[in-house]
Amino acid sequence: MTFDRSLKIAPSILAADFANFGAECAAVEAQGADWIHVDVMDGHFVPNISFGPATCAAIRPHIKGVMDVHLMIAPVDPYIDAFANAGADVITAHVEAGPHIHRTLQAIRGAGAKAGIALNPGTPVTAVEELLDVADLICVMTVNPGFGGQKFIDMTAKVRALRDMIGDRPIHIEIDGGVDPTTAPLVRAAGADVLVAGSAVFKGGTATNPAPYGENIREIRAAAE
């Protein structure tokens, strides 16, 4: 993974066909996805259960580019190696998920992955101020995590503050939640470079009819750029 601030669209497979993950990942990548975003939920940190390391390992051979694994779980540390071994390029933990986020980020890097920190809507940007030198990505949640298809919460001021704080450090700013052609331009203008989109990408298509995925991705990209 080489660092750049160009716009990247990262479809969330939480919105894909669960019975067909491999084909869905390949199809959405072929239609222009830059990264594949994998939402891991434990039914404890967030009120939903999704999938774990075995699913990541199973879809990894079907993903040519970056597998971006977002851990909405607590605790995080006992599972880092399993997700790294499953082929995660980026592993993102929530700043709210444990008392020692700095150690968690060090452990993610130690396992050979890029280290991400996620911030819930109610968490101030100052929560990551002391972590910028051990982070490769900061994910600003624009919904409360746990479910797909939620309404966008405007966090552009937070994104702008974060962009200023990062300066010239090679840190991605990722947006997760309610991204579509209407909201994408707001967060891109504020300084985000990775846009996670679930239902906005996967609506209208299937793995066997993936053309709508491409149309949706192009529409989000054009709006943001």
Side-chain angles (χ1 to χ4, degrees), residues 151-224:
K151 194 174 177 325
F152 179 83
I153 302 168
D154 189 352
M155 290 283 145
T156 44
K158 188 190 279 189
V159 176
R160 227 174 278 119
L162 187 57
R163 186 69 202 84
D164 290 343
M165 203 187 276
I166 286 169
D168 58 3
R169 294 178 180 88
I171 300 175
H172 296 290
I173 299 178
E174 180 172 74
I175 304 296
D176 188 357
V179 170
D180 61 24
T182 311
T183 56
L186 306 175
V187 290
R188 177 60 172 163
D193 63 292
V194 184
L195 306 185
V196 176
S199 32
V201 166
F202 284 100
K203 66 170 196 254
T206 60
T208 49
N209 172 35
Y213 298 167
E215 286 159 28
N216 296 338
I217 289 168
R218 285 189 294 277
E219 199 181 339
I220 294 167
R221 201 187 296 280

Side-chain angles (χ1 to χ4, degrees), residues 73-89:
I73 68 175
V76 174
D77 296 15
Y79 302 97
I80 290 169
D81 286 345
F83 284 103
N85 292 338
D89 295 294

